[in-house]
Amino acid sequence: MRTMLLALDIGNTNVTLGLFRGSRLVRSWRVSTDARRTPDEHEAALRAVLGRAASTVRACAIASVVPAVEDAFAAAAALVVRRRPVLIDSESPFGFRIGYQPPSDVGADRLVNAAAAMERFGAPVIVVDFGTAVTLDVLDRHRVYLGGAIAPGLDLAAEALARRTAKLPRVALHRPAEAIGRTTLESLRSGLVFGAAALVDGLLERMFRELGERPPVVATGGTAGIVAPHCRYIRETIPDLTLEGIRLVGERMMSASRKRT
């Protein structure tokens, strides 16, 4: 088997792992984010997930929004890959300038999303990521990352409704049949899914006006498949966009490191 690269997207809810051969994603996995696990436990989990492929992985790139988990995974990955992983941050080579202030406040996942979207669609482009939070990220025609918007994600909103109300249950998320729910579960699904779609469309319309143009919009994230089909302006849904961005930026960082040495 050819040498492969492991991309790790460490989020607040899940850690997504992607195994790349060149630019092709061979396989991906998702595990729960757990800050209590030790590097040894993460190493055992990585070896179990990768199986025989572990011996072919010779590079690792990590984008994280959970520093405590990032440190433990980085230590574990170094043992599996036998090479120190590259850690993506606001100073990494994304191919665009960051206009957000301060740049270090932007999550690495948002920046790699923008890098991957620009690689596919050019600039300007907007990414909508339906994760724990729904984030919209805007890259203008001058290749400047401007920032965007952050709103609660569907799972977070559904959990909050169930916890903070006496009679509303936790609802499984899938496409509602109609906007007018005839039961409590149907009403919850309508409000959550169609409400999220309307929120995204409304934010996009405001962003289009501020930009003075209508860039292509790409969606990604765990619930993108549920919401994006109901959004007026989303052109395409790419489930593995974040992993693609981690691979792309990670390879640039490794190439720059080799040139320095």
Side-chain angles (χ1 to χ4, degrees):
M1 298 175 68
R2 291 174 56 190
T3 298
M4 291 190 277
L5 178 145
L6 178 65
L8 296 179
D9 172 23
I10 302 175
N12 290 295
T13 305
N14 294 300
V15 178
T16 306
L17 304 85
L19 194 60
F20 285 88
R21 182 181 292 117
S23 61
R24 185 172 71 89
L25 180 64
V26 177
R27 191 175 174 189
S28 63
W29 303 264
R30 182 170 292 184
V31 298
S32 297
T33 303
D34 189 346
R36 298 168 299 178
R37 290 177 182 166
T38 66
D40 288 343
E41 289 173 318
H42 284 309
E43 180 193 359
L46 283 174
R47 293 190 184 280
V49 165
L50 292 170
R52 292 176 57 192
S55 63
T56 71
V57 180
R58 289 293 178 269
C60 178
I62 299 175
S64 172
V65 296
V66 190
V69 178
E70 174 186 325
D71 294 341
F73 255 111
L79 294 172
V80 174
V81 178
R82 287 172 285 182
R83 182 178 299 174
R84 187 176 179 179
V86 295
L87 306 179
I88 297 171
D89 60 23
S90 59
E91 296 183 358
S92 299
F94 299 102
F96 52 75
R97 183 171 66 82
I98 300 174
Y100 201 91
Q101 296 300 321
S104 58
D105 275 3
V106 191
D109 54 343
R110 299 176 68 183
L111 295 172
V112 296
N113 279 346
M118 187 177 73
E119 183 76 3
R120 285 195 179 220
F121 300 97
V125 68
I126 298 177
V127 180
V128 185
D129 190 339
F130 294 93
T132 304
V134 176
T135 58
L136 288 81
D137 296 290
V138 181
L139 194 67
D140 73 10
R141 63 172 49 253
H142 305 292
R143 296 194 172 193
V144 178
Y145 174 85
L146 300 177
I150 305 172
L154 266 72
D155 286 314
L156 194 61
E159 183 180 344
L161 282 170
R163 283 189 177 185
R164 299 297 296 272
T165 59
K167 297 183 69 175
L168 295 180
R170 183 67 164 88
V171 62
L173 292 171
H174 56 71
R175 178 178 178 173
E178 298 176 310
I180 302 174
R182 266 64 175 186
T183 67
T184 298
L185 291 180
E186 289 176 358
S187 299
L188 281 166
R189 289 192 184 99
S190 173
L192 288 165
V193 176
F194 291 147
L199 178 146
V200 168
D201 281 344
L203 285 170
L204 287 170
E205 288 172 357
R206 290 174 180 269
M207 290 175 176
F208 294 159
R209 288 197 295 270
E210 292 174 16
L211 288 170
E213 60 184 327
R214 187 178 293 184
V217 181
V218 58
T220 192
T223 55
I226 300 172
V227 185
H230 307 293
C231 295
R232 187 178 307 167
Y233 304 108
I234 291 176
R235 174 189 292 186
E236 186 174 345
T237 297
I238 305 174
D240 299 311
L241 186 73
T242 309
L243 291 175
E244 287 186 17
I246 294 171
R247 191 268 311 164
L248 177 69
V249 177
E251 286 181 345
R252 290 174 183 169
M253 294 172 70
M254 294 172 204
S255 177
S257 177
R258 286 193 293 268
K259 288 178 181 177
R260 287 195 297 268
T261 57

